[in-house]
Each structure stands twice: as C-alpha cells, then as structure tokens.
Amino acid sequence: MSTATASGVDTGRLKAALDAEAHRIVYASYLPDDAADDGLGAELRCISEVDRAHLVMLTERGIVDAARAGQLLRAIEELRKHNFGPVRGRPMPRGVYLAYEGHLIEQLGDETGGILHTGRSRNDLNATTTRLKVRTPYLALLDAVDTLAAVLLAKAEEYADVTMPAYTHGQPAVPITYGHYLAGVAGAVLRAYGGLLDAGRQIDVNPLGAGAIGGTSVPIDPVRTAELLGFTSAAPNSVDAVASRDFVLQLLSASAVLGVALARIARDLSTWTSEEFGLLRVGDTLVGSSSMMPQKRNPFLLEHIQGRSTASLGAFMSAASAMTTGGYTNAIAVGTEAVRHLWPGLSDTTDAVTLLRLVVAGTQPERERMTRRAVDGFTSATYLAERLVLDGTPFRAAHHQVGETVLAALDSGQSLADTADFAGDLAPDRVARDCAHGGGPGSDGLPPLTTQLGVLHTELVARRIRWSGAESLLTEAVQKAVRT
C-alpha cells in the first residue's frame, strides 16, 4: 500500500486531502487539544482585566492609596505574565474569584490585597466578565459571516450567466441563474449579519458599579471603567445590571435565525450535488469517500452544516428555560446556568458558517446540465403566458393555453420552444434576462448588497478597533499607576 493511500489522502477516486480548515472543524472536536486555553485561564484573565480598570479608576478618584494600588497592580501583572499559575493550584471552595483575591491578600497583606473589592461585588463582576469573555467568540462569528457574505457575492457575480431552474415544491419552476440564487442567499446572510450586530449592542453596556444589586455608596466612576474596558456606556440601573443576561438570548436568537438560513441553503446544495440532479460539483478537498464503497464522493460537509447550524436554536431554548426559573435579581440560574449555553451555540454556528463558505467557494455549477434541466423542466412556460397577456389574452386563459401546450410537448417529446406557437425566444437564458422586474434575475441586485456588506463590515471593524483600543488605553493607565 502506498504512503498516500495509508494516510487517507489518496482513496483511489479522491486524490486530495480534505481542506485543512474543514478537517479542523469536523474532526478536531473529537481530539484532545492541550494547547487550547482552558476555561479557568480565560476566566482569570477577564477578572484581572476588570481589576486593572477598577483599580485605575479607584486611584484616579482618590478612593484608594495610589502606592498600594500600584503594588497590587504589579502583582496582578505578574500573575497575568505567568498565566495565573500560583492561583491555579489553590483550593477554590468559594469559587475562582475568592481564590484569586485570597492569593493576592496572602502575598501583599490585607491592607493592600484587601482593597481590590472596594465598591464592587461578585455579582457586577460576573456580569462584566461575561460580556468581556463573549467578545472573542462573538467577533469570530461576525468575521465568519462577513467572509461568507463576501464569498457569496463574489460567486454571485461570477455565475450570473449560469442559467438554472428555480425550484418550488421540488419541481422546476422558472429560469434563474446560479448567481441569482447565491445573491438571494447573500441577502439572508446579510440580514443575519445585521441582526448579530444589533444583538451585540447590549454587551457594550458596562454593569460594573452595580454592586450586589443596589449600587454602592463609594463614589466610583462607572463611565471611566466603561472607557477603560471598551464599553460604550454604563448601566443606568443597578438591578437591571446584575439581573439581566438578555444579551445571551439576543445573541443566540440572532445566531439561530442565521442557523435556519444555513440549514436551508445546505439542503439545497445537498440536493443539487446528488448524482440524480448533478447540478453542482464539489471539489475533491471538500468531499469524503466511503470506507467500503470506492465509487463514492460524499459532500458530507453539508451534513455537518445542517447539524451544527441548529446548535444556537437549542442553546437559546436551554438558556431561556434556565432564565425563567430565576427572579429578576442576581440568580445562578441566569448568570451561570443560562450563560453556559452561549459558548457552544456561538462556536457551532461559527463552524457552520465557515463550512458553508468553504463549500460555496469550492463548488462549481455544471453549466450544461443546469441549462438542460431548465429546458426539460419547461421553465419558460410562465414567461410564455405573460407574453400572451401582454398581447391582450386574459391571464387565466393564457395560463390554460400554455398548460395545454406543455402537455402537448410532453406527449410529443418536444421542447416548449418546438411546440409553442410563439415567434419569440423561449430559451431559458433569454427568459431569465428578460425577467428584470420584481428583483428577478434580469435585474442588477448586487450593488445594493455589496453596499450593505460594506456598511456592516465598517461597523464590525469599528467595534473591534474600540475593544482593542481600550486594551491599549487600559495598559497605558496601568503602567502609569504602577509607576506612581
């Protein structure tokens, strides 16, 4: 056996390995990944980020001694440098934060380590760190959607002249182009993109300062910590700040809407790539083989898309169900149990988006087959009826007349063009070009979609710049406080 065959790259019919990005998504989840950052490390990093901003603000407001705050900040920076190694080995009977704070108190003494929690509770801290943690997977999903939309629009332009049937109820209906179909899909993806951006606005509200639920008598400045952490505003109500995790539901809801579109698109592509339809051919790097049947080319990534695209819908139902059990106050069912469904929901949706982008980019239409199906499916029949209407025939009479013409063509084994008593051109590509009204394939619908993508992309970039800019701003403020 050759090395290529033994490695699974060469299966006989397939000569190329699965795309590396697709391989990571569909197989890596079953393998251990020791290099991946663990949840504890991510949690501690977010806590320390909040601590840095909080201590800078307390120092600027004159609430705590600048020298002690600087000493505490230096200790926190050292922990961050060593990925919180000293904290990881500590017992955590009362949770991560108290173990972390306990280490700093043991190291620096109560008079210094003990000032960290001034004017703050674990309740508003947890509400804040959840918003910080979601930024990374949220941006990853937005990036994936942004790239998918760009690929869809590029392929829509490339295949704007590839005529195919549009299908209704699984039957050939009217002639469109493959590019027109992809542009329609892009419209759904762009709406979901906008929905995700809208859903993310609540994660830009800073809950830090709400305390346990009733605020604090310490004269803190939530607007300053909001600035240092990249938020756009501070929460105006302390109850709402710690009680609400609406953004979790909003993000999952927007992801679920996107997921429904992804699943429907994957179903179309799965049908059209079948041997029976043969309208599309997926590249060898995006299909799988059979372990037993050597002739198979399985577009199995489409099944992964269908499976993962619904994860956010399930996550939404689970999160919403957990939230309904808690009153409108700080509640574990809301802040912990409901929130835990957010991460797999966003991650699986991101994977589904990425896989669809790979498939769309790596799939080519079978031009002649598509055109033949448009002809054999009598897709120009509606156009013929409309021509008769414009010549003065009532629509229902024209509908009946063309229906009889189609029946005669079926009986004779001829095409509609050969059978119809019509002097015009009934070629599906010509008909598609003539259907320029109502957003049909003859209209130029790409420029507005391209403009829409540009607007959404600009908002995404602005959000990323603000968050990364806040990191730099906070680091500078910490360095200044440490030097004091």
Side-chain angles (χ1 to χ4, degrees), residues 296-311:
K296 295 294 293 297
R297 294 182 82 258
N298 299 325
F300 73 114
L301 297 182
L302 294 168
E303 296 178 60
H304 282 283
I305 293 169
Q306 289 175 301
R308 298 202 185 196
S309 62
T310 57

Side-chain angles (χ1 to χ4, degrees), residues 106-404:
E106 286 181 8
Q107 183 183 15
L108 303 174
D110 187 62
E111 289 188 355
T112 298
I115 69 173
L116 184 60
H117 214 49
T118 303
R120 198 178 70 184
S121 165
R122 273 193 297 180
N123 295 355
D124 60 340
L125 172 63
N126 290 340
T128 306
T129 57
T130 301
R131 284 165 167 82
L132 294 181
K133 281 191 295 184
V134 80
R135 288 176 180 178
T136 297
Y138 175 59
L139 285 177
L141 176 55
L142 289 175
D143 284 338
V145 174
D146 186 270
T147 307
L148 170 61
V151 168
L152 286 167
L153 293 177
K155 291 298 179 180
E157 184 175 11
E158 180 179 352
Y159 298 130
D161 63 340
V162 180
T163 306
M164 68 172 291
Y167 289 88
T168 61
H169 307 287
Q171 306 301 314
V174 295
I176 59 169
T177 69
Y178 183 49
H180 190 62
Y181 171 82
L182 293 177
V185 167
V189 170
L190 288 170
R191 285 193 300 278
Y193 191 170
L196 285 166
L197 286 169
D198 288 341
R201 299 193 195 288
Q202 273 300 309
I203 67 176
D204 269 337
V205 178
N206 178 30
L208 195 64
I213 194 170
T216 176
S217 62
V218 178
I220 60 171
D221 184 1
V223 174
R224 176 56 171 159
T225 53
E227 178 187 25
L228 292 170
L229 292 171
F231 295 109
T232 56
S233 62
N237 183 281
S238 61
V239 173
D240 192 36
V242 300
S244 173
R245 296 296 188 277
D246 290 354
F247 70 89
V248 171
L249 298 182
Q250 289 166 348
L251 288 176
L252 288 174
S253 176
S255 298
V257 170
L258 171 61
V260 170
L262 299 176
R264 296 179 67 191
I265 297 159
R267 178 180 176 179
D268 282 345
L269 299 183
S270 183
T271 299
W272 297 342
T273 55
S274 68
E275 288 290 333
E276 284 72 16
F277 273 75
L279 301 183
L280 298 171
R281 181 177 177 83
V282 183
D284 280 2
T285 61
L286 299 170
V287 298
S289 62
S290 166
S291 64
M292 184 177 187
M293 298 168 283
Q295 84 281 10
K296 295 294 293 297
R297 294 182 82 258
N298 299 325
F300 73 114
L301 297 182
L302 294 168
E303 296 178 60
H304 282 283
I305 293 169
Q306 289 175 301
R308 298 202 185 196
S309 62
T310 57
S312 52
L313 177 59
F316 173 85
M317 294 300 297
S318 297
S321 298
M323 286 191 190
T324 59
T325 66
Y328 209 74
T329 182
N330 179 70
I332 290 176
V334 177
T336 301
E337 291 302 321
V339 168
R340 71 185 178 88
H341 299 288
L342 178 60
W343 318 116
L346 294 181
S347 176
D348 284 351
T349 304
T350 302
D351 287 345
V353 172
T354 301
L355 290 176
L356 182 59
R357 184 255 298 167
L358 291 171
V359 171
V360 170
T363 297
Q364 292 185 338
E366 299 284 4
R367 293 172 180 260
E368 293 183 5
R369 175 71 173 169
M370 282 186 165
T371 301
R372 186 73 255 164
R373 289 302 303 133
V375 172
D376 293 346
F378 300 97
T379 59
S380 298
T382 301
Y383 175 80
L384 176 57
E386 290 176 344
R387 295 305 93 192
L388 296 175
V389 168
L390 293 178
D391 287 340
T393 304
F395 176 77
R396 193 51 58 199
H399 186 279
H400 185 79
Q401 181 180 334
V402 173
E404 289 185 331

Side-chain angles (χ1 to χ4, degrees), residues 1 10 200 209 416:
M1 181 180 294
D10 185 344
L416 184 62

